[in-house]
Amino acid sequence: MSILLLIFAPTLFALYWLIRLQMRLSKVRYLVDAYGLDPKKLQRLKYNDIKELRHSIDALRRANDAYGLEDLVKPYQR
């Protein structure tokens, strides 16, 4: 039983990180397509920063705050 765990543990760990990487790339792709942000500037951000940026953008869109949205997005645009 422990041998099977030793065999499958690295596989599960790699699968977890691949899924997390795909989620991060999906969020970056959405921000690039929807708001014209620069992907190279977004690459420097960590996963949690990208997640927070997207939540902030969605909150400003729901509040119809165009000026706040522009101020938030401007540093990441091309």
Side-chain angles (χ1 to χ4, degrees), residues 12-77:
L12 292 175
F13 184 72
L15 185 62
Y16 167 77
W17 282 108
L18 282 174
I19 290 171
R20 188 168 166 104
L21 176 68
Q22 288 300 318
M23 288 174 46
R24 181 183 183 280
L25 292 175
S26 173
K27 289 181 189 301
V28 168
R29 199 172 316 118
Y30 169 77
L31 291 172
V32 169
D33 291 342
Y35 299 102
L37 303 183
D38 189 15
K40 292 186 183 193
K41 291 180 182 178
L42 292 175
Q43 279 180 345
R44 291 182 273 166
L45 299 177
K46 294 183 180 180
Y47 176 77
N48 290 333
D49 296 334
I50 291 173
K51 185 176 168 183
E52 182 180 322
L53 177 65
R54 184 164 178 195
H55 285 294
S56 299
I57 288 173
D58 288 340
L60 289 171
R61 272 191 37 227
R62 281 192 300 271
N64 291 327
D65 186 6
Y67 294 115
L69 183 60
E70 184 179 350
D71 289 339
L72 181 65
V73 171
K74 193 163 198 109
Y76 302 108
Q77 287 182 339

